[in-house]
Amino acid sequence: MKKFYLMLVLLVGLAVLAACSSGDEEASGGSSAEGAGSADTITAWAWDPAFNIAALEKAKEAYNGDGDFEVKIIENAQDDIIQKLNTGLSSGTTKGMPNIVLIEDYRAQSFLQAYPDAFHPLTDVINPEDFADYKIATTSHNGEQYGLPFDSGVAGLYVRTDYLEQAGYTAEDLTNITWDEYIEIGKKVKEATGKNMLTLDPNDLGQIRMMIQTNGSWYVKEDGSTPNLAGNETLAKAFETYKKMMDADIGKIVSDWSQFVGAFNSGDVASVPTGNWITPSIKQEAEQSGKWAVVPMPRLDMEGAVNASNLGGSSWYILNVDGKEEAADFMLNTFGSNADLYQTLVKDIGALGTYSAAAEGEAYAVEDEFFGGQQIITDFSKWTDEIPGVNYGLHTYAIEDILVTGMQDYLKGTELTKVLENVQGQAEAQLK
């Protein structure tokens, strides 16, 4: 009987120790099947197998550091990554979290400000000055650099040179112009060719985002959280410009991605103002080779505005879990310093990075025959350095949902000042 009780006590003690060990592992960000592992295995979450996942695979091949570890790449939809991060970090546990995660620039500050201790600072790992300036505001917080800037969402104005010629214009005539000048040219192009100048989707305000960033403005104030809508002269100018395009009848109305792409692939529009990531879609229609060029984005007709803007883009982050030093080593010796890797990314998957030294490579200087021999990567790289930096803050998409309703009211005749006052009030009420 004494032996039985002794054995029982021993078994209970072992069970308690096992439970404590499990709890300690969870609290310290221990491993899981799809999360951060031991120092010999680090995990990375990203979306889009043809772009971001492919970039990670190229990085694995290019890694030239001293670390001895495996990099496990896990594909998730972007929305799933956002949900998993919010669920895990808000619960106070890092179990199941990755070592490395890709976060869209428009969403980064919402994580950095809500969970600053969850991310491993890269201030002493990378040199932020090695990357495009506009990327730093959104990837840093409270003086610390947390993100490793990745792809550029630098925008350009893709133009059909054959349509322009029919209206008496060249690509040079659309270089470094204002949106008001663009609208006037659009009227002439439509008159001469019957083609609309661009697509417009009043439910997708990416166009507004690009416009306001040309003047260094955003939906929020410098603190990244206070809505900056009513009294925002740049936003008002962008709304006015959008309405001018609608009133001039130079826009083909679309409502989804397939209609957007179909409009330029079928030759229905004379230009496409958007991010450089659209290039592969532009080139899908081989018969249009030689009929396209890319020029800088139009700017708002305001003092201080520039012909450079951005749409999209993302950056890499390291979570404060076991293996963070190894993850930092991997990032430093790939996306953080390897200019040759960025040549490969441009050549093989069309990913334009924001690592400045990469612009000196041969891949960036390639002449693209589809665009009449233009060195479009060189041009995009140059424009990347000119993008005004803004703090995208916490609420880009939440505010934009409110602005969509405001835009509809404005297009239906509501006075602009009233529209912006209304959306300001709604944003303040919803985003407390």
Side-chain angles (χ1 to χ4, degrees):
M1 184 63 70
K2 289 182 180 179
K3 289 182 179 180
F4 172 77
Y5 282 118
L6 183 60
M7 184 64 70
L8 181 61
V9 169
L10 180 60
L11 290 173
V12 171
L14 289 172
V16 170
L17 285 173
C20 291
S21 174
S22 176
D24 289 343
E25 180 178 310
E26 180 171 335
S28 63
S31 64
S32 74
E34 294 192 354
S38 60
D40 59 358
T41 301
I42 58 175
T43 60
W45 287 1
W47 65 91
D48 192 346
F51 194 85
N52 301 315
I53 298 294
L56 278 170
E57 294 288 359
K58 296 294 183 183
K60 285 177 61 175
E61 296 173 8
Y63 173 71
N64 58 6
D66 297 326
D68 183 17
F69 47 76
E70 176 190 358
V71 179
K72 182 179 181 182
I73 302 171
I74 300 171
E75 179 190 349
N76 288 275
Q78 183 181 177
D79 287 345
D80 290 341
I81 289 177
I82 300 304
Q83 181 180 6
K84 289 178 180 179
L85 285 177
N86 275 319
T87 299
L89 298 180
S90 64
S91 69
T93 178
T94 55
K95 185 175 183 179
M97 292 290 100
N99 298 100
I100 300 166
V101 63
L102 186 67
I103 301 177
E104 186 186 31
D105 291 338
Y106 295 135
R107 302 181 188 272
Q109 287 295 314
S110 64
F111 287 103
L112 295 180
Q113 294 192 33
Y115 316 108
D117 294 336
F119 294 91
H120 179 55
L122 300 180
T123 309
D124 298 325
V125 177
I126 64 170
N127 181 6
E129 294 181 358
D130 289 342
F131 298 86
D133 287 344
Y134 87 96
K135 277 278 199 174
I136 302 307
T138 191
T139 56
S140 59
H141 177 59
N142 280 348
E144 291 280 5
Q145 182 67 33
Y146 287 97
L148 194 161
F150 177 41
D151 63 316
S152 171
V154 59
L157 178 62
Y158 295 77
V159 296
R160 280 288 296 263
T161 54
D162 53 338
Y163 292 166
L164 295 181
E165 289 172 4
Q166 292 179 45
Y169 295 105
T170 67
E172 184 65 27
D173 294 320
L174 278 83
T175 299
N176 294 328
I177 61 174
T178 66
W179 278 107
D180 288 343
E181 291 170 328
Y182 171 86
I183 291 170
E184 292 305 311
I185 293 173
K187 293 177 183 178
K188 302 281 183 57
V189 170
K190 186 166 186 178
E191 182 180 341
T193 67
K195 304 294 183 180
N196 285 300
M197 194 63 172
L198 76 168
T199 59
L200 292 172
D201 180 355
N203 292 312
D204 181 352
L205 299 188
Q207 196 76 48
I208 297 295
R209 267 181 265 158
M210 290 188 290
M211 286 181 181
I212 63 177
Q213 192 161 357
T214 66
N215 201 38
S217 182
W218 205 246
Y219 302 147
V220 292
K221 294 185 177 180
E222 284 299 317
D223 63 6
S225 59
T226 304
N228 183 29
L229 310 175
N232 184 333
E233 294 181 3
T234 302
L235 181 60
K237 184 68 172 179
F239 264 55
E240 291 171 352
T241 303
Y242 195 97
K243 189 174 187 298
K244 284 181 182 179
M245 288 193 286
M246 295 287 285
D247 292 343
D249 193 28
I250 61 169
K252 178 180 176 65
I253 304 302
V254 298
S255 59
D256 59 31
W257 175 263
S258 61
Q259 291 179 11
F260 168 57
V261 174
F264 55 75
N265 281 163
S266 62
D268 287 345
V269 294
S271 70
V272 185
T274 194
N276 70 91
W277 35 259
I278 202 64
T279 298
S281 297
I282 296 278
K283 295 173 71 172
Q284 282 179 1
E285 198 62 40
E287 292 182 357
Q288 295 177 7
S289 179
K291 298 178 179 180
W292 286 92
V294 192
V295 297
M297 280 292 290
R299 68 186 186 277
L300 287 176
D301 192 6
M302 302 182 73
E303 185 69 29
V306 300
N307 289 99
S309 194
N310 179 78
L311 187 65
S314 54
S315 300
W316 303 105
Y317 294 83
I318 296 175
L319 290 175
N320 198 15
V321 297
D322 290 345
K324 57 182 178 287
E325 291 85 3
E326 288 76 13
D329 176 69
F330 176 72
M331 285 283 104
L332 170 62
N333 289 286
T334 53
F335 299 106
S337 64
N338 191 332
D340 289 339
L341 169 61
Y342 284 97
Q343 308 303 304
T344 301
L345 298 181
V346 165
K347 289 186 295 185
D348 293 356
I349 63 178
L352 177 61
T354 53
Y355 181 60
S356 300
E360 305 300 321
E362 293 182 1
Y364 279 57
V366 169
E367 296 179 354
D368 193 323
E369 292 308 314
F370 190 93
F371 294 95
Q374 181 180 352
Q375 295 174 315
I376 64 168
I377 302 301
T378 294
D379 288 338
F380 276 126
S381 181
K382 175 179 178 292
W383 303 334
T384 293
D385 290 335
E386 299 170 358
I387 298 171
V390 297
N391 183 352
Y392 295 136
L394 305 178
H395 310 301
T396 292
Y397 290 116
I399 290 177
E400 201 157 276
D401 287 343
I402 298 170
L403 283 174
V404 165
T405 301
M407 176 63 80
Q408 299 291 350
D409 291 341
Y410 178 50
L411 295 177
K412 292 176 181 177
T414 304
E415 198 269 327
L416 182 55
T417 300
K418 182 65 174 176
V419 166
L420 295 181
E421 288 175 350
N422 287 342
V423 294
Q424 176 78 26
Q426 292 177 48
E428 290 174 350
Q430 295 182 26
L431 303 175
K432 289 181 178 178

